[in-house]
Amino acid sequence: VTGANFVVFNGALKTSSGFLAKSSIVEDGLMVQITRETMESLRQALRDKKDFKITCGQMDAGDVKEYVDICWVENEDKANQG
């Protein structure tokens, strides 16, 4: 589990790269490189307020262990509102 102050979704990952998606720590945030098709699916999920899971790693890797989960929650934490 990684906590981040921001997330950047980059939809320019080429299918020919051999990766489903790639994630990396950038400064104090997370950058997720995804394909154009995944970006379209992510945008639709955000519009519909649906959870979305991005599987990261190489396409031919059998044991993929890295995921980026976008989850909608019922209650917002109001602890830092000033």
Side-chain angles (χ1 to χ4, degrees), residues 4-42:
N5 287 325
F6 65 90
V7 179
V8 175
F9 294 102
N10 178 343
L13 185 68
K14 303 284 186 217
T15 333
S16 60
S17 71
F19 285 91
L20 298 166
K22 293 166 68 174
S23 67
S24 54
I25 304 296
V26 179
E27 305 264 334
D28 57 346
L30 178 69
M31 180 171 68
V32 185
Q33 297 175 326
I34 56 180
T35 62
R36 178 181 295 192
E37 295 80 13
T38 304
M39 180 65 87
E40 288 301 320
S41 299
L42 172 59

Side-chain angles (χ1 to χ4, degrees), residues 3 6-7 9 22 24 46 48 52-54 65 69 71 74 79:
F6 65 90
V7 179
F9 294 102
K22 293 166 68 174
S24 54
L46 292 173
D48 297 340
F52 194 78
K53 184 178 214 170
I54 300 170
K65 296 181 182 172
D69 289 317
C71 304
E74 292 292 322

